[in-house]
Amino acid sequence: WFLAGDDASSTVNDWRQVVPEPGKLFIVGDPKQSIYRFRRADIGLYTEIYGNALAETRAQLRENFRSVPAVIDWVNYQFEQEMIGQAGVQAPYVPLHVPFDNLAMGHVHFVGEQIEGGAAAARELEAAAIARFAQNAVAGERAVRDRDGNWQPARYQDICVLLRTRTNVRDLEDAFDHLSVPYRMESGSLVLDTQEVRDLLSCLRAIDDPSDQVALVAALRSPAYACSDLDLLDWVEAGGKLDILVTQEVIPGGIAVAFRSLKGFHDARVDRSVAATVEEFIRDRMLAVGAFAGRRPRETWRRLRYVVAQARSLAAAGRPTLRSLVDWLESLQRARIRDVESPLPESDEDAVRVMTIHGAKGLEFPITVLTGLGASKGDRKSVV
């Protein structure tokens, strides 16, 4: 406060007598946060500064862009009666208002009906309905308003799909792919559930632990090595072992080449950092290049980069082994509740954003789709 004082205030000793020079002091505060008294929030000090010293230059943020007028009217009515200002104890309620008529932005639509069948059938139908909705919205059925209140056609990036759980991620991916609707998984916990990450973790597990035959078979069948079930059957029937540490050339090519590759990474893992091992595996097996064969190469790149980023973070936290990385990411997959750090999206990517409700906290979207509302416990009939 003294640093912001004008020349005439240089001789005073009490900060309350200091007159701030215009343009030198900017203070932000929210009196409603005075509920955090256990964190030293002081409504008395707030009142003294804002109510007295800066009363003439005080500005209030009252515009609400997120809610429709009906909601704001209800909130204002209720809180104006309950939140009565009291000096040093309670801040007065400041009414909110909507800067423009965004009623058209706030319609809530329920879709679906009761169906015969279990939860799996409901999730599949729901995913198909969401994909159709996104496609139709961008095709011209929906318009959204920007921050200036101007109408514009909806884009895919204006749509957010919120998931209560991760059980319907696969159905959503299949439905979006079927209609060629671009999308991206925004939450880290959702990325962990994608097939690309599962395949990569199986390969890393096989590299770290050659005795894990489940991971080895999954790695061989993944796009990194593209061995078919028939290849595996022929190998075993010819007397081959599912062991990357044993030199064997039962059948040339295919599985033999894959075993040499996995053994090479297994031997080299002690001389590389975890992130370097993951990056070299992605490069050597051309996983990023192979993404061009899919419909969403950028989404695949993001998922692969996400695993590399997690490897760096884990190493920085003091757990630098490949096993630590795989154990940690697989534990997060199994937990199915924690929303780990989200991968960074491409700034110019026009795609539907899919995230968990927890991951969407504090964000806003022109069009929001909430999934899983029809789920019921102990009832064979489901609602989509």
Side-chain angles (χ1 to χ4, degrees), residues 34-360:
S34 62
I35 59 174
Y36 291 102
R37 286 187 175 87
F38 61 93
R39 293 183 181 176
R40 301 178 65 185
D42 188 346
I43 185 64
L45 181 61
Y46 172 90
T47 302
E48 187 170 11
I49 294 176
Y50 281 87
N52 300 324
L54 298 179
E56 295 182 357
T57 57
R58 179 178 180 180
Q60 296 178 333
L61 300 180
R62 301 176 53 191
E63 295 182 344
N64 184 296
F65 292 90
R66 297 186 178 184
S67 302
V68 297
V71 172
I72 296 301
D73 290 343
W74 184 88
V75 169
N76 287 336
Y77 174 78
Q78 297 293 337
F79 279 87
E80 283 177 341
Q81 298 182 72
E82 300 295 336
M83 194 170 179
I84 308 301
Q86 184 177 351
V89 178
Q90 173 67 64
Y93 181 71
V94 178
L96 303 172
H97 78 276
V98 179
F100 51 80
D101 182 12
N102 61 354
L103 184 60
M105 298 173 64
H107 286 310
V108 177
H109 300 277
F110 293 90
V111 297
E113 59 187 8
Q114 185 167 302
I115 63 172
E116 294 294 336
R123 287 196 299 268
E124 185 176 345
L125 289 174
E126 179 185 64
I130 292 172
R132 286 195 303 271
F133 169 82
Q135 187 182 59
N136 294 335
V138 176
E141 289 191 4
R142 292 288 186 277
V144 298
R145 265 177 162 164
D146 58 24
R147 284 302 185 94
D148 297 324
N150 300 317
W151 289 99
Q152 59 183 11
R155 299 167 296 175
Y156 284 119
Q157 63 186 11
D158 293 322
I159 303 173
C160 176
V161 177
L162 298 182
L163 306 180
R164 298 173 63 194
T165 65
R166 288 153 45 187
T167 54
N168 56 340
V169 170
R170 302 288 178 81
D171 293 313
L172 274 173
E173 286 191 302
D174 292 341
F176 284 137
D177 287 339
H178 179 69
L179 295 181
S180 299
V181 173
Y183 68 94
R184 64 173 182 247
M185 298 295 174
E186 293 268 333
S187 301
S189 58
L190 298 181
V191 173
L192 291 174
D193 240 14
T194 59
Q195 192 61 47
E196 293 93 335
V197 173
R198 287 178 175 273
D199 289 338
L200 179 56
L201 292 184
S202 295
C203 294
L204 298 178
R205 174 69 74 184
I207 291 171
D208 177 75
D209 184 6
S211 66
D212 191 335
Q213 293 197 340
V214 174
L216 176 58
V217 172
L220 293 174
R221 297 178 71 248
S222 73
Y225 296 104
C227 297
S228 67
D229 292 338
L230 183 59
D231 293 332
L232 291 169
L233 179 61
D234 291 342
W235 178 268
V236 174
E237 288 184 341
K241 298 180 179 180
L242 295 178
D243 188 347
I244 68 173
L245 300 181
V246 177
T247 302
Q248 42 188 333
E249 195 77 28
V250 178
I251 301 176
I255 292 180
V257 173
F259 280 3
R260 288 195 296 270
S261 171
L262 289 168
K263 185 178 186 304
F265 280 103
H266 174 75
D267 294 339
R269 78 193 192 287
V270 295
D271 298 322
R272 294 184 181 134
S273 68
V274 180
T277 297
V278 178
E279 287 182 316
E280 178 60 21
F281 182 82
I282 293 172
R283 185 200 64 79
D284 181 76
R285 303 316 303 169
M286 301 182 72
L287 298 183
V289 176
F292 281 107
R295 296 179 177 178
R296 306 176 318 280
R298 298 176 72 171
E299 181 67 16
T300 299
W301 299 343
R302 289 178 60 246
R303 295 170 183 179
L304 297 176
R305 291 203 311 267
Y306 175 76
V307 177
V308 176
Q310 294 307 307
R312 292 198 181 101
S313 298
L314 199 63
R319 299 173 62 185
T321 66
L322 185 59
R323 178 167 299 185
S324 296
L325 172 67
V326 178
D327 287 344
W328 183 55
L329 293 180
E330 287 183 347
S331 69
L332 295 179
Q333 283 180 336
R334 291 190 296 269
R336 307 189 70 84
I337 54 176
R338 181 178 175 183
D339 199 88
V340 295
E341 181 182 356
S342 301
L344 293 176
E346 302 288 347
S347 59
D348 61 340
E349 187 178 10
D350 185 25
V352 176
R353 305 167 69 178
V354 182
M355 61 178 63
T356 61
I357 293 177
H358 175 77

